[in-house]
Amino acid sequence: MATSLNGRRVAILATDGVEQVELVEPRKAVTDAGATAEVVSLEPGEIQAMNGDIDKADRFTVDRVVKDVTVDDFDALVLPGGTMNPDNLRADENAVRFVRDFVNSGKPVGVICHGPWTLVEADVVRGRTLTSYPSVRTDIRNAGGTVVDQEVVNDNGLISSRNPDDLPAFCATIVAEFAK
């Protein structure tokens, strides 16, 4: 499995307020499996990660700007959480377009915690089953999705988890799905 993602390119769509562990652990999992992972964000420069939405954590370099990328540039997408991160992403038309195009392409998408807010804004959860942080579940239901309370859910390549405690299962599942 160490080289199961050789040659694959993974976008991690994130901006200021991203929950650090939800960016770092999935990125490590896919790069350890051989993928190239790039942080895609709203603006060039750096983004400020957070711990528990309260404490500033590390800053991360932005590799690409979302208005300059397309779904064809990547093989898979990761949407980390933190409350500020997806709230900012869902207000950006380029980020919403990118997420919508990605899900509609059928390429795999991993989303954790509050990350589904961007999926809801992109109108791509209707008829899908996923999990999320508890406070996001009503939004998913209202957008036509089905919510289950499980560690990890894989609905035809849409992989979701609830919170950082689920990261081991989430990371293993995204690597397996991204390798298909």
Side-chain angles (χ1 to χ4, degrees):
M1 172 123 101
T3 59
S4 63
L5 297 181
N6 277 354
R8 303 284 170 93
R9 294 183 56 144
V10 178
I12 302 173
L13 182 59
T15 192
D16 290 328
V18 65
E19 183 69 27
Q20 179 159 316
V21 70
E22 294 174 4
L23 183 155
V24 171
E25 291 301 314
R27 180 170 70 178
K28 181 180 183 324
V30 299
T31 58
D32 284 355
T36 299
E38 293 186 304
V39 174
V40 177
S41 193
L42 305 179
E43 301 290 335
E46 292 183 331
I47 58 173
Q48 176 66 61
M50 303 296 284
N51 288 324
D53 284 328
I54 298 169
D55 299 316
K56 285 186 178 180
D58 296 326
R59 297 186 65 79
F60 293 88
T61 300
V62 172
D63 297 303
R64 310 267 307 265
V65 176
V66 72
K67 70 181 173 76
D68 298 331
V69 299
T70 71
V71 67
D72 296 330
D73 296 329
F74 300 97
D75 301 297
L77 172 65
V78 174
L79 297 170
T83 56
M84 290 174 28
N85 171 56
D87 198 44
N88 289 328
L89 292 174
R90 69 183 177 166
D92 183 273
E93 65 183 53
N94 292 307
V96 172
R97 170 202 44 85
F98 182 62
V99 169
R100 182 182 306 113
D101 291 350
F102 223 98
V103 173
N104 289 338
S105 77
K107 292 181 179 180
V109 175
V111 60
I112 188 165
C113 202
H114 289 79
W117 269 340
T118 311
L119 296 173
V120 167
E121 188 66 31
D123 193 24
V124 294
V125 300
R126 189 172 321 282
R128 304 298 294 263
T129 299
L130 58 160
T131 193
S132 70
Y133 195 76
S135 65
V136 179
R137 294 176 184 174
T138 298
D139 298 322
I140 293 168
R141 282 189 209 89
N142 288 343
T146 299
V147 179
V148 294
D149 185 13
Q150 296 175 6
E151 182 177 53
V152 66
V153 175
N154 185 348
D155 181 340
N156 295 313
L158 178 59
I159 303 103
S160 56
S161 283
R162 303 169 295 193
N163 59 56
D165 293 339
D166 297 338
L167 278 165
F170 178 73
C171 290
T173 304
I174 63 171
V175 168
E177 187 65 31
F178 293 0
K180 289 183 181 175

